[in-house]
Amino acid sequence: MKTAVVIFPGSNCDQDVIHAVRDTVGSEVNAVWHREEQLPEGTGLVILPGGFSYGDYLRSGAMAARSPIMGAVKEHAGQGGLVLGICNGFQILTESRLLPGVLLPNKTLSFICRPCFLSVENTDTPFTGLFEKGQVVQFPIAHGDGLFFLPADELEDLEKRGGAVFRYVSPGGDGGDEWNPNGSVNSIAGIVNPQGNILGLMPHPERASEAILGGEDGRLFWRSVASFLEKGGRRHGLQ
């Protein structure tokens, strides 16, 4: 497994992700500056990490979506390569139209940083293949613009195709507004594109990959990706 972590001005979770992927699955990891125009040869997974790219000017992720490296990221995705956007990376994916929707300011209009519980809604993706459907995991969140929104017709299509991969829930797996920290529609915490190779996720699996951080649920996330790539990445037509 060979991973590229794209670093933008203002990224602050890049080293966390690099450590988590190396420690969990022993992946070769290359840090790629946003001004580059090519990804390292043989890259299987591209990660857009969390942070405040370009200081979140204009809209969160809007300026980073126009960085030179995003051309290579789009090409990689178009060829079936895996792309993961975490927190600000999710915002970049929506701003670059690699994923639908938009991330709006939290319903509280304040920055939220705390652990939260998620239900794994779809296990037929490269990122969740080792989980059980409905399994509850704990990943932390740290964002000010995390309210995922889609118009009603597009939201219906997303739900019908299983595009909502993670949802905010109670520790017991129950839904409800009280367990939805940012007000996202249908309590959605993470979505995948129709082909299954691009995932956007607001919570941080890299911050739940070691017991010393308070939990290890994130390790199964990284192992799911590694397992998929080790098998050749052939589901969903991916190579």
Side-chain angles (χ1 to χ4, degrees), residues 45 77 80-84 98-99 122-128 161-163 165 191-200 225 228 233 235-238:
L45 169 67
L82 301 187
V83 178
L84 168 66
L98 285 170
L99 286 176
N122 183 351
T123 58
D124 189 27
T125 83
F127 308 92
T128 55
R161 67 172 174 81
V165 179
I191 67 169
V192 73
N193 68 327
Q195 293 73 33
N197 64 313
I198 306 174
L199 177 74
V225 176
F228 177 82
R235 285 186 294 138
H236 307 282
L238 303 180

Side-chain angles (χ1 to χ4, degrees), residues 61-107:
M63 294 179 71
R66 289 152 179 81
S67 288
I69 193 60
M70 290 306 296
V73 173
K74 290 179 180 180
E75 182 179 355
H76 175 78
Q79 295 173 351
L82 301 187
V83 178
L84 168 66
I86 303 171
C87 198
N88 185 233
F90 187 3
Q91 295 161 347
I92 294 169
L93 289 176
T94 59
E95 288 290 340
S96 62
R97 308 317 300 162
L98 285 170
L99 286 176
V102 65
L103 281 307
L104 300 174
N106 299 338
K107 63 181 179 181

Side-chain angles (χ1 to χ4, degrees), residues 92-174:
I92 294 169
L93 289 176
T94 59
E95 288 290 340
S96 62
R97 308 317 300 162
L98 285 170
L99 286 176
V102 65
L103 281 307
L104 300 174
N106 299 338
K107 63 181 179 181
T108 59
L109 299 183
S110 62
F111 189 87
I112 305 173
C113 182
R114 65 172 177 83
C116 66
F117 294 94
L118 311 171
S119 172
V120 183
E121 300 287 294
N122 183 351
T123 58
D124 189 27
T125 83
F127 308 92
T128 55
L130 298 183
F131 291 96
E132 295 181 5
K133 186 175 175 59
Q135 182 175 344
V136 176
V137 298
Q138 183 175 319
F139 295 166
I141 56 172
H143 57 247
D145 296 333
L147 191 164
F148 177 72
F149 176 80
L150 261 183
D153 56 340
E154 296 180 50
L155 180 63
E156 183 179 3
D157 291 341
L158 179 81
E159 294 283 11
K160 283 182 177 179
R161 67 172 174 81
V165 179
F166 291 94
R167 223 180 288 275
Y168 300 108
V169 294
S170 73
D174 298 317

